[in-house]
Amino acid sequence: MNPVAIVYVVAKAVPAALQEIHFKVFHKSPVTMDSGLSGRNNAHGNNQHSRSYSKQEAARQQRHALPIFSVRKSLMEMVRKSSTTIVLGETGSGKTTQMPQFIYEAGLNGDKMIAITQPRRVAAITVAKWVALEMGTALGDLVGYTVRFEDMTSENSQIRYMTDGILCREALSDRQLRNYNVIILDEVHERTVATDVLLGVVKKAQQLRALKRLPPLKLIIMSATMDCDHFAGYFFDCPIIYLQGRMYQVKVYQMVEKISYIEACLKTVVEIHQSHPAGDVLVFLTGQEEIDSTVNKMRRLAKSFSGDLPKLAVYPMYAALPQTQQLDVFNPAPANVRKVIFATNIAETSITINGIRYVVDCGRSKVRSYDPITGMDILKVSWISQAQAHQRTGRAGRLSDGICFRTYSKGTYERLEKMTVPEILRCNLSATILNLLVMGLNYKDFDFIDKPPEEAIVGALLELKALNAISSVENPILTSLGAKMARFPLDPRYSKMLLSAPKFGCLEEMLTIIAMLSGENIFTYSSAKREQMMIAHSKFFDKSGDHVTLLNVYNEFKTKAKPKMWCFDNFLNERNLTHAASIREQLSEICKMLDIPSSSCGKDTVPVAKCLLTGLFTNIAMKQPDHLYLTSATALKTRIHPSSAVSGKFRPPVVVYTELVSTRLNFLRNVTEIDPSWIDEVVPNVSHLYQRNGHNENSFRSFSTHK
């Protein structure tokens, strides 16, 4: 294949206005590279879990080579003196794996656990596994993790990795967080809702413990890129520590051509493979479908390379990827093979992949934002922030000097937002406000580091009032139903459906449906085998819609002696189905604790549809003469998503849907047909909700008369 012509800015070969940018990232010991979480800790060699001396010595040498190791004593002294400490350490400095170990070795946690939060479950699990390996202990013993619906800890656990949402839920029952004396909030630059809430919750817990003269709660805030002054000001001008060490240099090239970013990424990978020295390539793209499609294109291109080039091993990487395929990404490439990984922004901070020397950054990611006026979840491809671009650049400098190719211009980079917009400013706040009420905190008095917009708060309160979770919008007080809803780690609408299920005699069915909706997509897609995939999926389709289709898949899955092979044959994700089964089991346990009686409606799908209405009554849409759908609450024109069981020729006249997503078009996802007469039967007092968006009661009642 001939070299691909693609023009990037090159230093000294172009005018000064288009000069190369240099970034420096921290040194990574060249002894052995792993997923960024390698065995660096002292091996606790005298206990029964100790490894061989040679492995201990290798781990000791690696750990001693890290920049963070040389400053561990002064670092711990600073943490000892301060109630809150901000640690700004470049990607690869070792802060995520080493900081909790330093604290444990220094005894700063006393007789309590050390909590380390991560924005993503995959990061919490992966890091915990590596730290357990470093410390020579079984996972779940001294070191463990807790993510939603999965707890791998024991009474012996001292270091506990978890998602930020888990610690938020723990605060519901213990505002002082008395299980911990040290809490580490990692990757705070991602600014998830749970992280922002935790900042306020931990700050309040520190104050409460000081007032009651309890042992102090130490907080460590960590990231590679964040607005330190903003965070320090929020925590009373707390100290900021900048971790510095030996560095590798990463050259950043900005593209000057204007072509589509996917085409630019493919051409750049070809150019790297044909004209650059050995080293694996990490390409940042925006989502699963885009990655799968691009991976297929890259694999086809790889077949046309000349025989004197190394082979190219191409892999996708995203959160929903089956675990076996994720392992392929982390395994070292064989001799004379170059790895190319196409990943979402999960690879920015949450995971680190061995051997990456080249990064190709498309400059975009998929961002979900919520419009409280329309009730629409907008999922669209958006430009990343400069902080994210810096994180991506750093991935090229872990093993040696590296290169980052940005498929956008220097001018575009300079126009990017400095920091990522906090999620709390662009999401549905219903669950957040419900949890604050459970903690006895009024949203008006809560100390948000960045306060959400008023319309988002009002929209959340209106939703909670409609669900009967609070007494009123003006003076929100938690109802007994609202307190029960908060017991479930779910969207309040899903909790309401489970609590309503006994009335319709369908708790077993609703447990399955909610569990399936709470996990990742269980369907896998193959462009190469599209026809086979469609036939396989259609076997589970139910004429009533997608919710019963999910129920059919799960029920069939549970009957199989060899589920892995069955899932492969039917283009289903076995890992996600297994996870859904685990979620269902835990939701069932919560129902038992709340004394909710078991019930089943068998093959009758009407009770399921009615029960869905109890939580999704604002999510109703009616088919129009042009075959599009008009949403009842906001009068938006939409269409049923093409993956739906009822997206064919005979679409139902009225549907209830789980979510409304806007990409290029507006789509209804997970829909079920309903009879309009059920609306008054199931939710007779709901019409007032539609008036806030300019739709009067008569327009809503027209659904009831539709035939």
Side-chain angles (χ1 to χ4, degrees):
M1 186 174 181
N2 294 326
V4 179
I6 185 164
V7 181
Y8 281 89
V9 175
V10 183
K12 300 179 182 177
V14 293
L18 297 174
Q19 58 188 301
E20 181 189 71
I21 305 166
H22 289 268
F23 273 90
K24 292 184 176 180
V25 296
F26 280 89
H27 167 79
K28 176 69 177 77
S29 170
V31 178
T32 304
M33 286 297 292
D34 50 35
S35 63
L37 315 165
S38 56
R40 305 175 185 127
N41 210 15
N42 56 337
H44 296 264
N46 294 327
N47 66 27
Q48 60 179 332
H49 301 296
S50 64
R51 294 170 285 174
S52 68
Y53 175 79
S54 60
K55 287 187 177 180
Q56 291 175 20
E57 184 63 19
R60 187 187 69 81
Q61 289 177 3
Q62 287 185 46
R63 191 182 189 209
H64 287 195
L66 287 168
I68 195 172
F69 189 83
S70 62
V71 297
R72 67 192 186 287
K73 289 182 181 177
S74 55
L75 192 59
M76 288 303 99
E77 193 57 37
M78 183 71 78
V79 171
R80 197 186 302 275
K81 290 177 181 177
S82 309
S83 59
T84 301
T85 309
I86 292 174
V87 177
L88 189 68
E90 289 283 355
T91 302
S93 63
K95 60 188 182 299
T96 299
T97 55
Q98 300 308 308
M99 186 67 80
Q101 295 185 64
F102 293 162
I103 290 167
Y104 173 71
E105 290 159 6
L108 294 182
N109 60 311
D111 60 347
K112 304 291 185 181
M113 284 188 291
I114 303 163
I116 315 96
T117 69
Q118 295 288 326
R120 294 183 177 90
R121 59 181 284 126
V122 66
I125 295 169
T126 309
V127 180
K129 286 178 178 177
W130 279 110
V131 172
L133 184 66
E134 288 181 2
M135 297 183 72
T137 180
L139 182 65
D141 189 22
L142 185 63
V143 181
Y145 68 84
T146 307
V147 297
R148 192 170 73 141
F149 302 117
E150 188 177 350
D151 185 10
M152 185 60 76
T153 59
S154 67
E155 58 184 17
N156 297 328
S157 298
Q158 293 291 300
I159 297 175
R160 186 187 189 200
Y161 286 88
M162 62 184 77
T163 51
D164 41 19
I166 289 293
L167 192 56
C168 273
R169 291 205 60 79
E170 207 166 319
L172 297 182
S173 55
D174 179 14
R175 286 177 58 193
Q176 296 171 34
L177 297 167
R178 285 168 290 191
N179 286 331
Y180 311 97
N181 284 338
V182 181
I183 290 174
I184 301 172
L185 304 184
D186 198 11
E187 309 295 6
V188 294
H189 71 278
E190 294 206 17
R191 299 295 301 275
T192 64
V193 174
T195 294
D196 271 29
V197 170
L198 275 178
L199 290 167
V201 167
V202 175
K203 184 178 179 180
K204 187 68 175 177
Q206 287 177 319
Q207 295 166 346
L208 288 172
R209 284 165 69 152
L211 282 172
K212 297 186 177 183
R213 299 189 176 181
L214 295 170
L217 176 61
K218 292 191 176 296
L219 173 64
I220 300 167
I221 300 168
M222 302 199 305
S223 179
T225 52
M226 62 174 158
D227 185 348
C228 291
D229 292 340
H230 187 43
F231 283 89
Y234 181 70
F235 283 100
F236 312 109
D237 294 322
C238 66
I240 301 169
I241 299 171
Y242 176 67
L243 294 180
Q244 194 171 15
R246 290 174 293 166
M247 306 174 197
Y248 288 124
Q249 195 176 75
V250 180
K251 294 180 181 179
V252 179
Y253 293 93
Q254 312 275 176
M255 197 174 76
V256 296
E257 289 185 84
K258 285 190 176 180
I259 58 175
S260 82
Y261 66 87
I262 293 177
E263 182 184 356
C265 288
L266 285 168
K267 286 185 174 182
T268 304
V269 171
V270 173
E271 187 173 303
I272 290 168
H273 191 54
Q274 292 181 333
S275 56
H276 286 72
D280 297 335
V281 185
L282 175 61
V283 185
F284 284 99
L285 290 178
T286 65
Q288 178 177 337
E289 290 180 15
E290 182 177 274
I291 286 171
D292 285 340
S293 170
T294 311
V295 163
N296 289 335
K297 289 177 184 175
M298 192 70 245
R299 285 173 177 166
R300 288 197 297 272
L301 279 172
K303 292 177 182 177
S304 63
F305 290 153
S306 64
D308 57 344
L309 286 172
K311 290 184 178 178
L312 210 59
V314 185
Y315 301 106
M317 185 66 205
Y318 41 79
L321 197 69
Q323 199 159 13
T324 50
Q325 289 178 253
Q326 287 189 16
L327 292 175
D328 292 337
V329 172
F330 294 110
N331 291 331
N336 202 38
V337 174
R338 189 199 297 266
K339 274 197 308 185
V340 179
I341 298 106
F342 290 87
T344 61
N345 57 356
I346 191 175
E348 276 176 25
T349 54
S350 300
I351 58 170
T352 304
I353 301 163
N354 245 356
I356 299 298
R357 190 172 176 183
Y358 305 98
V359 165
V360 182
D361 176 16
C362 76
R364 298 158 176 87
S365 67
K366 272 190 179 175
V367 178
R368 185 182 291 273
S369 58
Y370 177 77
D371 185 337
I373 304 301
T374 63
M376 183 189 294
D377 262 322
I378 302 171
L379 183 65
K380 64 179 181 180
V381 174
S382 304
W383 286 104
I384 59 174
S385 65
Q386 289 184 9
Q388 286 175 285
H390 183 57
Q391 289 276 10
R392 293 180 176 189
T393 299
R395 292 294 162 182
R398 302 297 297 269
L399 180 61
S400 63
D401 289 352
I403 301 174
C404 175
F405 297 88
R406 291 177 178 162
T407 65
Y408 48 99
S409 69
K410 182 182 176 184
T412 299
Y413 171 80
E414 290 172 346
R415 289 191 295 273
L416 299 177
E417 294 286 342
K418 291 277 190 285
M419 294 288 166
T420 306
V421 177
E423 188 183 10
I424 203 163
L425 303 183
R426 52 180 171 83
C427 75
N428 187 332
L429 296 174
S430 301
T432 302
I433 290 178
L434 181 65
N435 289 338
L436 289 177
L437 290 170
V438 171
M439 286 186 266
L441 302 172
N442 191 311
Y443 73 92
K444 294 177 183 176
D445 305 322
F446 188 74
D447 189 8
F448 290 104
I449 186 169
D450 289 296
K451 190 169 182 180
E454 191 64 27
E455 61 267 22
I457 293 173
V458 171
L461 290 169
L462 284 167
E463 182 175 302
L464 291 173
K465 177 64 177 73
L467 292 167
N468 295 321
I470 58 175
S471 56
S472 69
V473 172
E474 296 76 18
N475 184 30
I477 298 172
L478 202 65
T479 64
S480 59
L481 177 63
K484 288 180 180 177
M485 287 166 62
R487 294 284 296 275
F488 294 93
L490 297 169
D491 182 306
R493 298 172 302 169
Y494 291 176
S495 303
K496 176 67 181 289
M497 287 187 270
L498 284 180
L499 291 166
S500 303
K503 177 182 175 183
F504 302 98
C506 60
L507 180 63
E508 296 304 314
E509 287 75 19
M510 291 309 298
L511 280 169
T512 299
I513 290 168
I514 298 300
M516 296 283 270
L517 292 173
S518 299
E520 300 285 351
N521 190 2
I522 53 104
F523 294 106
T524 62
Y525 297 92
S526 169
S527 55
K529 299 180 179 179
R530 179 175 171 77
E531 192 173 338
Q532 291 172 255
M533 176 198 74
M534 295 293 289
I535 292 169
H537 288 175
S538 66
K539 291 187 296 187
F540 305 104
F541 286 175
D542 188 273
K543 64 179 181 180
S544 69
D546 301 318
H547 297 95
V548 176
T549 295
L550 291 174
L551 184 63
N552 291 342
V553 173
Y554 181 87
N555 289 341
E556 187 76 9
F557 170 72
K558 293 301 288 183
T559 66
K560 300 303 174 185
K562 296 181 178 179
K564 187 169 288 190
M565 182 58 69
W566 177 80
C567 286
F568 179 81
D569 292 340
N570 287 281
F571 297 87
L572 300 169
N573 189 309
E574 190 258 346
R575 174 174 170 262
N576 292 348
L577 276 164
T578 301
H579 184 54
S582 174
I583 294 174
R584 189 189 188 284
E585 187 177 336
Q586 294 186 53
L587 293 177
S588 180
E589 286 299 315
I590 297 172
C591 287
K592 288 175 184 175
M593 286 190 284
L594 294 174
D595 295 322
I596 301 173
S598 177
S599 57
S600 174
C601 60
K603 299 290 185 182
D604 188 0
T605 62
V606 171
V608 169
K610 288 183 176 180
C611 190
L612 287 169
L613 269 175
T614 64
L616 302 176
F617 47 79
T618 58
N619 294 6
I620 297 169
M622 185 171 70
K623 190 167 73 171
Q624 303 299 296
D626 59 2
H627 297 291
L628 297 178
Y629 282 78
L630 191 70
T631 60
S632 59
T634 54
L636 282 172
K637 283 211 168 184
T638 65
R639 60 198 73 209
I640 293 175
H641 195 273
S643 64
S644 171
V646 291
S647 67
K649 188 182 292 185
F650 303 105
R651 299 185 184 99
V654 185
V655 296
V656 62
Y657 57 90
T658 299
E659 64 176 343
L660 170 58
V661 175
S662 176
T663 49
R664 187 172 54 85
L665 300 168
N666 297 333
F667 287 109
L668 307 176
R669 293 189 72 104
N670 294 315
V671 304
T672 287
E673 181 176 10
I674 61 166
D675 185 324
S677 65
W678 297 344
I679 299 170
D680 274 337
E681 175 192 340
V682 176
V683 278
N685 301 314
V686 79
S687 60
H688 69 279
L689 283 178
Y690 299 86
Q691 295 170 20
R692 69 183 170 104
N693 292 325
H695 305 289
N696 61 31
E697 186 171 327
N698 291 332
S699 68
F700 173 67
R701 291 300 174 196
S702 68
F703 280 80
S704 299
T705 58
H706 174 80
K707 298 296 179 187

